[in-house]
Amino acid sequence: MEIRDEGSLIEAMARSIGTGLPPMAGRMWAYLIICEPPEQTAAEIADRLQASRGSVSSMARLLEHAGLIRRGTRPGDRRERFSVSADVVENVMAPRIHQLRAARQTLDAGLELLADRPPGSRERLQSLRDMYAFFETEWPSTMERLRNSRARESPKERKDVTR
């Protein structure tokens, strides 16, 4: 996809980083990552994305529940504003170790339950269990490396990994 303007950037980001989200939620999250000013009202988001206020409201609830956006107000202004923090992905991904562990434990129980089956019939379950066990082991050090990398470099010094 050719990225020629802000609209095509939002669409490309929604498709690449918004995987698993409804398309409108992906667009809204992408827009909130790049918008100026960084806080936007529902009306501003709806106008920019050519969406209904109802759609923006629904997607805001979904994104907020997922921890991807923040909702707040300004003193003297009753309108809610939505934003994305710079460390949103780190904050969302850091606690995933608990989900990885729970999935691995469920798969362990499944392997135990199916212990009397031939090894070939358990291969898919074993493979999935091994993948979760791998990520469960690697995730804490990966998050630590990310935190250390961010602590060493200011935002202006961060390397552009695309070049």
Side-chain angles (χ1 to χ4, degrees), residues 104 107 123-133:
R104 194 252 321 135
L107 297 167
E123 187 176 359
R124 294 177 308 237
L125 187 58
Q126 183 69 54
S127 177
L128 190 59
R129 183 263 175 220
D130 293 348
M131 182 197 70
Y132 274 94

Side-chain angles (χ1 to χ4, degrees), residues 24-25 27-28 45-46 51-61:
M24 188 60 210
R27 288 182 195 105
M28 185 171 164
I45 296 167
S52 71
R53 291 281 302 274
S55 179
V56 169
S57 179
S58 296
M59 295 304 102
R61 280 191 301 276

Side-chain angles (χ1 to χ4, degrees), residues 89-155:
V89 174
E90 181 180 348
N91 292 340
V92 169
M93 298 304 283
R96 295 296 186 238
I97 185 68
H98 304 294
Q99 293 169 328
L100 292 168
R101 182 173 300 117
R104 194 252 321 135
Q105 289 170 338
T106 299
L107 297 167
D108 282 343
L111 286 168
E112 207 173 297
L113 179 70
L114 305 176
D116 61 338
R117 291 196 183 172
S121 118
R122 296 170 14 131
E123 187 176 359
R124 294 177 308 237
L125 187 58
Q126 183 69 54
S127 177
L128 190 59
R129 183 263 175 220
D130 293 348
M131 182 197 70
Y132 274 94
F134 175 82
F135 285 117
E136 180 185 5
T137 302
E138 293 297 316
W139 197 249
S141 63
T142 299
M143 293 306 297
E144 185 63 26
R145 285 194 314 272
L146 174 63
R147 283 189 284 279
N148 289 340
S149 173
R150 286 188 165 188
R152 284 191 307 268
E153 299 172 349
S154 72

